[in-house]
Amino acid sequence: MPVTLKEVAERAGVSRSAVSRTFTDGASVSDKMRRKVEKAARDLGYSPNALASSLTTGRTKLIGLISNNFHNPIFLEVFDLFTRALQDRGLRPLLVNLSDETDPQASVRMLRQYSVDGAVVASSTLPPGFSKAFRDAGVPVVHSFGRYSSTPQVHVVGIDNVECGRMAARTLVARGYRKIAFLGGPESATSTQDRYSGFFSELGAHRGLTTSYSFADAYSFDAGRREMLRLLRAAPAEAYFCGDDVLSIGALSAIADSGLSVPEDIGIIGLNDMEMARWENINLTTIHQPIRQIVTSSIELMVAMLDEPDRYPEARIFPCSIVERGTLRPLC
């Protein structure tokens, strides 16, 4: 049987309320009392009951970690960073898969059933309405990898996807490509829309280019491979900006199976700089998204909101950079 709070109190010779205060963050208890209770707890092998503690404090320390693209390996990296960092702060992540969810209110109801203290929406494809629904329900929320706005309605931490599109376009033009294309993720995703917008606004400033675009139905390897195979059956471009790394890796697979070479026949640049992009057999030139900094900043905002729920929404945007590897021709 697990050791109870009453047994610790008897062992320490103190009241049960003294034991409860010792294991409640911010509660008043003398150093002498704390040492006595902690020694008794160690001797008996006692661990505080988190659920019982939540009844006393009104906080569960549960943070909903919400996403909708579990097919993309980049989110394994994202979830690893989030879960570790939340646990380091004494918080407990509750992972929620919204891959088939389209109703923000249903998501809010589900999270409230678990009495979460806050929610982190870790997605670049869920519409802003999901984050806003949590805010309107009084749940502190941060939208990580969300769409930048100068007047955000909720806290947003991420990158400027429009600028990333511009960076990709400048990189391809500087390497002498003249027949250039965009292979994006789902057309409805704000990340796809913004990367497309920046890409073609920059290409529009250069003469003598032939441009085209297409969209995959998901940010996934299979979707990228399938779309590139379709493009190769027509007249392929000289170089592609793929909407993210996993699309790029799918495209590389299609190009290789078609008997073509990268970068000799076709150039590819991705976005994210996921771990797989660095593998020797992939060696993808890409745009680095500072995922660790985004996660850290998101958790800083969440912790701040737990103490200050009415904190004014802010957007924290991190710069990206080109990572040169082996899927583009050298600079002209």
Side-chain angles (χ1 to χ4, degrees), residues 123-140:
S123 172
S124 63
T125 56
L126 279 173
F130 274 80
S131 298
K132 186 174 180 293
F134 285 105
R135 185 207 67 180
D136 293 345
V139 178

Side-chain angles (χ1 to χ4, degrees), residues 189-325:
T190 59
S191 54
T192 301
Q193 296 164 10
D194 290 349
R195 291 165 194 176
Y196 170 95
S197 173
F199 188 64
F200 283 100
S201 68
E202 178 64 30
L203 291 180
H206 301 271
R207 294 184 177 182
L209 303 180
T210 301
T211 63
S212 59
Y213 62 88
S214 64
F215 302 100
D217 56 19
Y219 280 118
S220 71
F221 173 89
D222 289 339
R225 175 181 163 81
R226 188 164 52 246
E227 183 60 20
M228 181 55 76
L229 285 172
R230 186 188 72 80
L231 293 168
L232 291 173
R233 287 194 291 269
E238 296 175 339
Y240 290 85
F241 169 37
C242 294
D244 80 341
D245 287 352
V246 73
L247 285 176
S248 301
I249 294 170
L252 289 172
S253 173
I255 292 167
D257 284 356
S258 298
L260 299 173
S261 298
V262 174
E264 290 81 6
D265 298 312
I266 296 177
I268 297 287
I269 183 170
L271 192 154
N272 273 334
D273 195 23
M274 63 190 294
E275 182 180 354
M276 290 174 63
R278 306 162 210 163
W279 291 1
E280 187 175 350
N281 63 325
I282 295 174
N283 199 30
L284 177 67
T285 297
T286 188
I287 298 172
H288 174 76
Q289 178 170 203
I291 291 173
R292 185 177 295 274
Q293 291 95 317
I294 290 171
V295 169
T296 299
S297 185
S298 297
I299 293 175
E300 286 174 355
L301 279 173
M302 176 53 62
V303 170
M305 277 194 296
L306 294 180
D307 294 324
E308 189 184 351
D310 296 328
R311 185 185 177 100
Y312 195 77
E314 64 177 287
R316 295 185 178 181
I317 303 302
F318 290 86
C320 295
S321 58
I322 300 292
V323 180
E324 298 280 1
R325 293 196 180 99

Side-chain angles (χ1 to χ4, degrees), residues 89-104:
R89 296 279 194 140
L91 301 170
R92 294 186 291 274
L94 177 66
L95 193 60
V96 180
N97 185 344
L98 294 187
S99 294
D100 298 319
E101 185 57 74
T102 57
D103 180 9

Side-chain angles (χ1 to χ4, degrees), residues 158-171:
I159 59 174
D160 183 344
N161 282 297
V162 174
E163 178 56 26
C164 285
R166 295 191 188 106
M167 290 173 65
R170 289 193 294 267
T171 300

